[in-house]
Amino acid sequence: MEQYSMEPGRAYPLGTSVNDLGVNFSLFSANAEKVELCVFDELGHQELMRFVLPSCEHHVWHGYLKGAKAGLVYGYRVYGAYHPEAGHRFNHHKLLLDPYARALKGKFTWSDRHLGYKADSPEQDLSFDDRDNADVMLKSVVIDPEKPQIQRVPVSWQNTVIYEGHVKGLTQLNSKVPPELQGSFLGISHPSMIAHYRAIGITTIELLPVQQFLSEKFLHDKDLSNYWGYNSISFFVPHSDYLSTDQVFEFQRMVDELHQAGFEVLIDVVYNHTAEGNALGPTLSFRGIDNASYYRLNPSEPRYYINDTGCGNTVNLSHPRVLQMVMDSLRYWVEVMGVDGFRFDLATILGREPHGFDKHSGFLDAILQDPLLNTVKVIAEPWDIGPGGYQLGGFPAPWSEWNDKYRDSIRRFWRGDKGLLPEFARRIHGSSDVFEHHGRQPYASINFLTSHDGYTLHDLVSYEQRHNERNGEENRDGHSENLSKNYGVEGATDNAEILALRLKQIKNMLSTIMLSQGVPMVLAGDEIGRTQQGNNNAYCQDNEINWLNWQEDALYADELTALLARLSELRKRFPMLAYHRFIHKDDPKSDVDITWYHCSGNIMHKENWHSHHASTVGYLVQGKADDASSVFCIFHAGAEPVEFVLPEINNVEYWDVMVDTSSSAINNEIPKLPAQRTITLQPRTTIVLSNEHKGSEPSE
């Protein structure tokens, strides 16, 4: 057995720090009375010894374990008052994870022994539970990771095309990925996946939560699991199920390989709540270390949690040490794990102070001033379920935000809803009505029509009702209104006419995303026609409902992949489609102009915009120089053909037909169309015309 001795250590940095002689342990708890470090065997099965952390300064408990090395398996037991009515839930019989742990050992097993109270006690009087949980609990592991080998090369916001995917779902069924890598971090950076990313022209991969998470007990009891992963328990640890050899450096290797191939990696992070749940949840880490500091508690009844997340608890970022933990975690994922940015789940929570959301909150200000974090991409999901929780457009620069107004408006337009032309144009224009303030630019808008949460594009044109029966909640979960249309048959069909129409509508929506000002986000699998069989809340389905079907005969795959590749190339060739500032007519500060056209060939006037039944509009964007290139996008959502007169554009004799969603995208030929003529738009069609002058593109 190793010979260890405990000595006074250092309060900072928090977590563990390794040197040649031992390991320093540091843990924040403002209300603890004593902290014990528990050392386990290398498998985490047997507790070998305990040491009391000998020092406490500024509420940080610390000690230096001489003789310890990287690889040590450990946990904490924290002593203090068990007084839920006052917000304190200390229970030293429960082994706790280090909030700063960089690696974990073992498998978590659900048991009533994780509860700090006796399971059969009434909610108003939770009796203290003295049973030990160590044998069914994860343990922390001391590691000393190296920094990534390949430096980040950021992609400018205006050149960014985001591809949102799930670590397991991306490769679990991909036969081109070796079986041992399928469903893992290393599967994502396999050469076959990199070839696909290049083929469709994306620049940035955004992964659903990769920090260690747990499945809720109610899912476990139904033989389901939290597939999405929005239930974090360790903010510094890559999720173990995505590691093929149980070594956290696999995440770093994935990032290095993707960086080497020219791609960015963003990760979806969940700092708004933890897997410890509500007042009846388990004691796994934060609750047992210092419940009253780590969580927002109900001021009048501290036994209960403020639940602005809908997940049982809310992390208290108003506390400086909790804010410090989140900031340290973010810096770790950038500096050590190598990521290029973050998408923040329920980000309004993070900007909340006791008085409500504040764009100058401690967290938002901390991000802005941080010399490392203000160099990476930060994306907000700008809502929560608390009072005043919807904050689209309310985040400060340099934040970008998921734009649900874009999602809903574009869905409704292509569904055929009437009176939407003005709203449709505002969204394509970059949602200047929402974001053009305080120095924000079009890339503040993350334009998406589908995401992990809700329908895929395939299902958006195939189902009008949710089909979530497999979730075990009697089909009551998930949104009841999805702004979708099935075109005559609910779900799968062999009707060729309906299938052709559905394909065209997917092409129209995919085209709209890529032709809009702002940052496009594509849901992984939409480019191969992925279906979730009508499930619009597939968070608990770790199966073929969520895994991408990479079979070559997948419905629509060839057509949609070719179209996305064409659209991505268009954005690269014509920077005005992703301009770095909002474009306004005759703006002297801009070298790009924008004009909206009626199907008569005339510029849109007020009466055209407000014609209730109008469903056709043209969008011309061009450089101001005499020989500048032009792109003319025409959108027709009507169910009948319509004549469109092409307007007279200076120095344009012929248009190249880059996209026509009524034709196949697989054909690489680019037809030419004489200018100043009338064309017939087929029902529900997008057409993109270009006139390119080499070397005359507007500056970025």
Side-chain angles (χ1 to χ4, degrees), residues 169-191:
L170 279 168
T171 62
Q172 183 68 17
L173 297 180
N174 191 339
S175 60
K176 295 180 181 179
V177 174
E180 66 273 15
L181 300 183
Q182 290 171 359
S184 73
F185 290 123
L186 292 179
I188 290 174
S189 59
H190 186 266

Side-chain angles (χ1 to χ4, degrees), residues 109-328:
T109 303
W110 271 108
S111 167
D112 285 347
R113 286 184 285 134
H114 292 305
L115 302 177
Y117 62 92
K118 293 180 180 177
D120 57 357
S121 58
E123 185 173 348
Q124 294 300 319
D125 184 20
L126 299 178
S127 303
F128 186 78
D129 184 90
D130 60 2
R131 293 177 298 168
D132 195 276
N133 70 331
D135 62 316
V136 289
M137 184 57 187
L138 292 165
K139 281 81 177 180
S140 305
V141 181
V142 176
I143 66 169
D144 189 20
E146 297 181 357
K147 293 183 179 180
Q149 300 301 307
I150 299 176
Q151 297 302 307
R152 294 186 298 111
V153 180
V155 177
S156 67
W157 264 122
Q158 57 265 37
N159 294 331
T160 299
V161 179
I162 297 174
Y163 187 70
E164 190 208 29
H166 185 280
V167 173
K168 184 174 184 178
L170 279 168
T171 62
Q172 183 68 17
L173 297 180
N174 191 339
S175 60
K176 295 180 181 179
V177 174
E180 66 273 15
L181 300 183
Q182 290 171 359
S184 73
F185 290 123
L186 292 179
I188 290 174
S189 59
H190 186 266
S192 64
M193 293 298 295
I194 287 174
H196 180 71
Y197 308 145
R198 284 183 172 145
I200 60 177
I202 60 100
T203 66
T204 303
I205 299 160
E206 181 180 307
L207 298 174
L208 268 65
V210 301
Q211 295 170 343
Q212 183 67 46
F213 60 86
L214 301 176
S215 292
E216 295 88 339
K217 189 173 188 301
F218 79 91
L219 290 175
H220 174 267
D221 292 344
K222 292 192 291 187
D223 292 325
L224 296 171
S225 64
N226 190 322
Y227 172 80
W228 286 350
Y230 292 92
N231 203 41
S232 302
I233 192 60
S234 287
F235 294 127
F236 293 78
V237 182
H239 187 61
S240 59
D241 289 346
Y242 303 154
L243 300 170
S244 60
T245 62
D246 202 31
Q247 299 296 316
V248 300
F249 72 80
E250 292 180 25
F251 183 93
Q252 295 171 302
R253 179 180 157 193
M254 172 199 73
V255 173
D256 277 349
E257 290 172 347
L258 289 170
H259 282 171
Q260 193 165 32
F263 298 101
E264 290 184 310
V265 180
L266 309 183
I267 61 173
D268 202 331
V269 288
V270 188
Y271 295 111
N272 56 76
H273 75 281
T274 79
E276 290 185 307
N278 63 18
L280 299 178
T283 297
L284 307 173
S285 182
F286 314 98
R287 174 173 282 144
I289 294 170
D290 192 351
N291 184 67
S293 294
Y294 279 102
Y295 294 114
R296 294 191 189 276
L297 305 181
N298 186 322
S300 60
E301 291 186 278
R303 71 162 66 237
Y304 298 114
Y305 297 83
I306 292 174
N307 187 22
D308 290 334
T309 65
C311 299
N313 63 57
T314 303
V315 174
N316 182 20
L317 265 73
S318 297
H319 194 291
R321 287 297 188 185
V322 181
L323 175 61
Q324 178 187 7
M325 176 191 70
V326 172
M327 297 298 292
D328 286 348

Side-chain angles (χ1 to χ4, degrees), residues 411-420 483 612 614-615:
R411 284 186 180 191
R412 291 181 62 206
F413 177 80
W414 286 115
R415 187 174 67 170
D417 292 13
K418 302 301 181 184
L420 281 176
L483 305 175
H612 182 71
S615 56

Side-chain angles (χ1 to χ4, degrees), residues 369-426:
Q369 64 78 43
D370 190 279
L372 177 63
L373 297 180
N374 67 23
T375 68
V376 302
K377 290 182 166 73
V378 286
I379 301 172
E381 182 185 37
W383 49 77
D384 63 30
I385 68 167
Y390 185 73
Q391 291 292 332
L392 181 69
F395 283 74
W399 286 78
S400 296
E401 303 174 34
W402 273 26
N403 188 347
D404 65 324
K405 282 189 176 181
Y406 180 94
R407 176 196 65 199
D408 295 351
S409 300
I410 306 304
R411 284 186 180 191
R412 291 181 62 206
F413 177 80
W414 286 115
R415 187 174 67 170
D417 292 13
K418 302 301 181 184
L420 281 176
L421 275 190
E423 179 72 7
F424 180 72
R426 279 192 287 268

